[in-house]
Amino acid sequence: MDGRGEPNAGVLEFLCSTPLFACLSDLSVRSLASTCRWRRASRHEIVFLHSDPAEAAYLVRSGSVSIVLTSPDGRELVIEEVRAGGIFGEMELFTGQERSCSALAHSNCELLVMPSAAFLRALDNEPRALRQVLDLTASRLEASTRREMALAF
């Protein structure tokens, strides 16, 4: 964001290049972009931990992020690898709950941090984008069900 509250051109361009946000109106994407900030994460750096407050969603600009479940005895299960253009950390923004898993940089990453209120406002105003998030959530639920079946049977 620049000093006038205008979105950084790089943020706007990146948001518009992602399938999830390409469908946003100019007003919605500019409003969202004006609240976002870049974050760099080094390989193996923690982006957030299980039980952290959910304050933002993240878009991966470069690198990849592992979404990880950790057992009480310290074993880890990578449930998803999020790569460039992918989003993570959005589900708890809808529920208001703490993080249900951890996110760790699998490689050096550049992430776009989207604050909760701005992210949810953009989706409230843009039913097509909300539908895409719903489709993504359903895909993740299907993958989780398949994973649980493989572990159970």
Side-chain angles (χ1 to χ4, degrees):
M1 186 169 34
D2 73 13
R4 299 179 310 268
E6 290 295 315
N8 172 307
V11 170
L12 236 144
E13 183 179 305
F14 178 60
L15 282 172
C16 290
S17 74
T18 62
L20 180 59
F21 296 104
C23 66
L24 293 180
S25 69
D26 187 60
L27 179 63
S28 290
V29 75
R30 285 182 175 282
S31 177
L32 177 60
S34 71
T35 68
C36 294
R37 65 180 174 81
W38 293 111
R39 174 178 173 187
R40 292 186 187 278
S42 300
R43 184 174 186 214
H44 302 300
E45 184 179 332
I46 296 167
V47 177
F48 58 75
L49 290 171
H50 174 267
S51 298
D52 280 353
E55 299 170 342
Y58 300 81
L59 270 175
V60 180
R61 184 179 195 180
S62 64
S64 65
V65 174
S66 298
I67 307 303
V68 179
L69 292 174
T70 306
S71 70
D73 65 2
R75 290 178 293 148
E76 293 183 344
L77 174 66
V78 175
I79 59 172
E80 186 174 6
E81 287 289 333
V82 184
R83 292 177 174 76
I87 187 171
F88 66 96
E90 79 287 351
M91 290 193 332
E92 293 88 359
L93 301 184
F94 293 107
T95 66
Q97 300 294 312
E98 297 173 335
R99 298 291 185 190
S100 60
C101 54
S102 298
L104 307 163
H106 184 76
S107 62
N108 291 337
C109 299
E110 187 171 22
L111 308 171
L112 186 64
V113 182
M114 299 176 289
S116 177
F119 174 77
L120 293 173
R121 187 172 45 253
L123 295 181
D124 284 345
N125 295 327
E126 301 283 347
R128 288 187 314 178
L130 183 58
R131 174 60 190 260
Q132 288 185 354
V133 171
L134 183 59
D135 289 347
L136 176 63
T137 303
S139 294
R140 289 178 175 164
L141 181 58
E142 289 172 357
S144 177
T145 300
R146 286 191 303 275
R147 188 172 40 256
E148 288 175 19
M149 286 180 61
L151 293 172
F153 302 108

